[in-house]
Amino acid sequence: MATPDLDSPPPRRGRPGYDREQVVRIAVQLFNEQGYDATSVADLAARLGLTKSALYHHVASKEAILQSALDDALGALEGALAEALATQDAAIDRLRHVVRGAVRVLTERLPEVTLLLRVRGNSDAERSALERRRAFDQRVTAIVRDAQREGALADDIDAAVATRLVFGMVNSLTEWYRPGGAVDPDRLADDVLRVALDGLDRPAAP
Amino acid sequence: MATPDLDSPPPRRGRPGYDREQVVRIAVQLFNEQGYDATSVADLAARLGLTKSALYHHVASKEAILQSALDDALGALEGALAEALATQDAAIDRLRHVVRGAVRVLTERLPEVTLLLRVRGNSDAERSALERRRAFDQRVTAIVRDAQREGALADDIDAAVATRLVFGMVNSLTEWYRPGGAVDPDRLADDVLRVALDGLDRPAAP
């Protein structure tokens, strides 16, 4: 019996060499194309050119991949919120900070955020993600309410509705922003804040 | 052999009596819950309490149901746009008209519009719906551009980006508007127009 050669990597047997991060990235693309619920582990193995057992070497289950991608997107959004909350700025500036941060997260993690925005709560991973999205929204709503109290935002609109509409704009970027396309990501955050704060009927504040 | 009794309806054999419209409505709910691609005809028959062959008595195929729901949502949105374009109003008023119309369509046809916003282009019916959405967006963008030319909207933001952001707000209503809930549908269109046109940093124009 041959002893394993400890100095060499194991033989590859001709299959592509993925690491876990690449498996998750390709899986998220496939989930976004055909829906998470409609994607089987067999579909995913076929896309990767792996057998199902080789795929299970990288990831424990389809839901583990989903969990990993949702954690990535939510962790980055929660990080942007924590940064905004850590400042001593006026509430209006904390709001600008979190909107800019969310746009940045969305452009940098477009597939993961797209997946996050499509989850419907059909599994524990999805329900937990929806719960974290709700907590995020509530904390941003509190910032909007503070900005209204501080007189920087008009208070004739409900803070929760205003927050949802602003994040409706941010989240809609997943529908049409394409990395490397004609629209500059830095400009996107300016445009969202410009519509949200100034309105379209007058030029942006300097 | 007994002759059929022409004066009586055929025996029901205990199955629920659906018409085509009810079948489509329940199917759309199921598509929204678990995804169109992940829903089989067998799932749908089970939800309706029908056999597959009884279901095929009502509808030719799963895709025919999808087509019907997408036509319903798109037809209503295109109707709102046509109404706005038929007026001799200033472009800014045509824009108000189409945004109000789109919010009304969305609140009245929430399941169908929700389904429309989730289609990814995996079938002819979906690709045709995406094409109609694009045509709708382009015609609204032309209204925004006219309003900029007429001086009613600031022209320091790209008309296509502004249109996408405004409809990002409108479409986000599918995520949180619930019929019969605390938020009045008439107020929603006011709020969207108020953020889009006036901005959050000053009270709504009277």
Tab-separated table of all heavy atoms in Angstrom, chain A residues 4 49 56 68 136 141 188:
chain	number	residue	atom	x	y	z
A	4	PRO	N	0.809	8.014	1.762
A	4	PRO	CA	0.535	9.327	1.167
A	4	PRO	C	1.803	10.181	1.154
A	4	PRO	O	2.612	10.100	2.077
A	4	PRO	CB	-0.528	9.938	2.090
A	4	PRO	CG	-0.683	9.031	3.256
A	4	PRO	CD	0.089	7.772	3.007
A	49	GLY	N	-19.658	21.928	-12.067
A	49	GLY	CA	-18.916	20.828	-12.673
A	49	GLY	C	-18.368	19.856	-11.632
A	49	GLY	O	-17.306	19.254	-11.816
A	56	TYR	N	-20.425	18.587	-1.371
A	56	TYR	CA	-20.610	18.479	0.089
A	56	TYR	C	-19.272	18.521	0.838
A	56	TYR	O	-19.251	18.691	2.050
A	56	TYR	CB	-21.400	17.212	0.443
A	56	TYR	CG	-22.891	17.367	0.216
A	56	TYR	CD1	-23.582	16.503	-0.621
A	56	TYR	CD2	-23.597	18.399	0.838
A	56	TYR	CE1	-24.955	16.643	-0.827
A	56	TYR	CE2	-24.960	18.542	0.624
A	56	TYR	CZ	-25.635	17.662	-0.210
A	56	TYR	OH	-26.981	17.819	-0.411
A	68	SER	N	-24.697	31.753	4.740
A	68	SER	CA	-23.411	32.413	4.590
A	68	SER	C	-23.562	33.709	3.777
A	68	SER	O	-23.041	34.766	4.157
A	68	SER	CB	-22.477	31.416	3.896
A	68	SER	OG	-21.204	31.916	3.788
A	136	PHE	N	-32.810	46.411	11.479
A	136	PHE	CA	-32.067	47.452	10.766
A	136	PHE	C	-33.004	48.623	10.438
A	136	PHE	O	-32.705	49.783	10.730
A	136	PHE	CB	-31.463	46.852	9.493
A	136	PHE	CG	-30.686	47.811	8.635
A	136	PHE	CD1	-29.317	47.981	8.822
A	136	PHE	CD2	-31.312	48.545	7.633
A	136	PHE	CE1	-28.588	48.861	8.031
A	136	PHE	CE2	-30.597	49.434	6.842
A	136	PHE	CZ	-29.236	49.588	7.030
A	141	THR	N	-35.130	54.079	11.195
A	141	THR	CA	-36.323	54.900	11.466
A	141	THR	C	-36.091	55.795	12.688
A	141	THR	O	-36.504	56.963	12.700
A	141	THR	CB	-37.560	54.002	11.701
A	141	THR	OG1	-37.803	53.250	10.511
A	141	THR	CG2	-38.801	54.818	12.027
A	188	LEU	N	-24.232	57.408	-7.234
A	188	LEU	CA	-25.538	56.844	-6.865
A	188	LEU	C	-26.002	57.314	-5.493
A	188	LEU	O	-27.164	57.673	-5.311
A	188	LEU	CB	-25.466	55.321	-6.855
A	188	LEU	CG	-25.453	54.630	-8.206
A	188	LEU	CD1	-25.277	53.137	-8.002
A	188	LEU	CD2	-26.746	54.922	-8.952
